[in-house]
Amino acid sequence: LSGLPPLAHQLLHNADILDPAVTTVAERLRDQGFATAAFADNFYIDARYGFDQGFETFVNEFRASRVSTWNAHHLLRTTVVYHLWYRLSRQPGQKNMDSLEGAIQWLRNRPAGTFFVLLHLMDPHAPYDAPPEIRDRFYTPDGPRVRDTVELRARLEEASPEEIAALVDLYDASVALADHKLGILLDELEALDVLDRSLVVVTADHGEVLDEDGPVVDHGLPHQGNLHVPLVLGGGIAGPGRSDQPVAMTSWVAR
């Protein structure tokens, strides 16, 4: 959220920590009077690594860490045992639901005035676990039992076309699930009568290569499928249209 490329902000690995001297968009908006809040469910998108810079409310549901808000329940939710139980017991498609519900509750009780909310969804990411009502629109249940990229990577050159196709179908279902959850958020913004005065930005940190770039199933390598991500501006203050010109998610100017 700094508008800087990696060589400028120096976060080159998952556990690198953002230099407090780097200014984030959340800090800029907070200083302009925006109420700021972030909701995530990812081990690395955490205050420990500087992701909370500029957010007055910051919630990482993976660790249940909340800036300035601690109680016994939150402490319990930071334990590995709790998350093993929680992730094994919840139904398919429930990934990120706590984050989504947290963002909605914050919006319903938000301070007066302008606001900036970050909602991070993990759904278009392995393991692909869309619920049956979404999964079955893309994936034939009697096809190959493929669920994750990890097992396929180990034997990619021997993987059958049917297995690759099944993986793509499950990925498509996972994208559709993220789209469904985004729809819930947009419906809430409309119900709160702020959608027509809001700018909604949808983007991603990376794509996914699923064998369309040679025998590769990965999202950690500089293939086009990983680098080419959506950047969609919506809401009431974004006009219609589509640009065919290449754009980047950085605004860095050498200084």
Side-chain angles (χ1 to χ4, degrees):
L1 298 178
S2 67
L4 302 176
L7 289 179
H9 60 56
Q10 288 294 298
L11 271 68
L12 304 177
H13 306 92
N14 274 339
D16 289 345
I17 300 173
L18 183 64
D19 187 336
V22 174
T23 302
T24 68
V25 66
E27 289 176 293
R28 288 186 182 275
L29 292 176
R30 180 202 61 197
D31 293 345
Q32 292 295 319
F34 283 64
T36 56
F39 301 86
D41 188 4
N42 181 290
F43 181 83
Y44 290 108
I45 300 181
D46 194 65
R48 291 174 297 175
Y49 308 117
F51 278 94
D52 63 326
Q53 282 189 206
F55 289 109
E56 297 159 318
T57 297
F58 184 88
V59 182
N60 182 332
E61 291 292 354
F62 190 92
R63 298 181 66 248
S65 59
R66 298 166 184 258
V67 172
S68 303
T69 310
W70 283 96
N71 58 38
H73 182 56
H74 293 156
L75 288 172
L76 173 65
R77 293 177 65 174
T78 63
T79 64
V80 173
V81 172
Y82 175 90
H83 282 282
L84 284 174
W85 167 80
Y86 178 68
R87 289 169 187 276
L88 289 173
S89 63
R90 63 182 175 177
Q91 296 299 309
Q94 290 302 302
K95 188 166 49 181
N96 303 130
M97 285 305 295
D98 283 349
S99 300
L100 176 60
E101 291 166 4
I104 287 174
Q105 288 302 316
W106 186 92
L107 286 165
R108 290 175 178 173
N109 299 284
R110 68 191 186 280
T114 51
F115 61 88
F116 170 57
V117 176
L118 170 69
L119 173 63
H120 180 267
L121 298 176
M122 282 284 289
D123 288 297
H125 196 290
Y128 311 134
D129 64 347
E133 61 269 21
I134 293 179
R135 181 195 64 206
D136 293 349
R137 288 163 42 197
F138 301 88
Y139 173 66
T140 304
D142 59 359
R145 295 294 174 182
V146 176
R147 182 169 180 264
D148 205 338
T149 60
V150 176
E151 189 268 340
L152 270 187
R153 281 195 205 117
R155 56 177 185 84
L156 191 58
E157 293 186 1
E158 292 80 34
S160 69
E162 292 78 15
E163 288 175 309
I164 296 295
L167 188 67
V168 172
D169 289 345
L170 291 174
Y171 176 74
D172 290 345
S174 188
V175 173
L177 177 59
D179 185 68
H180 169 71
K181 291 178 180 177
L182 178 60
I184 294 174
L185 180 66
L186 294 176
D187 287 345
E188 183 66 28
L189 291 172
E190 189 169 31
L192 293 170
D193 196 28
V194 294
L195 182 60
D196 62 345
R197 295 177 284 123
S198 299
L199 176 65
V200 179
V201 182
V202 180
T203 189
D205 58 342
H206 60 74
E208 197 97 314
V209 175
L210 300 174
D211 203 48
E212 68 269 28
D213 217 1
V216 176
V217 173
D218 196 87
H219 63 242
L221 299 171
H223 292 272
Q224 182 64 15
N226 293 328
L227 299 174
H228 187 191
V229 298
L231 180 60
V232 182
L233 308 181
I237 62 176
R242 177 170 178 163
S243 173
D244 293 326
Q245 297 298 314
V247 296
M249 293 189 293
T250 56
S251 59
W252 185 51
V253 177
R255 47 187 181 276

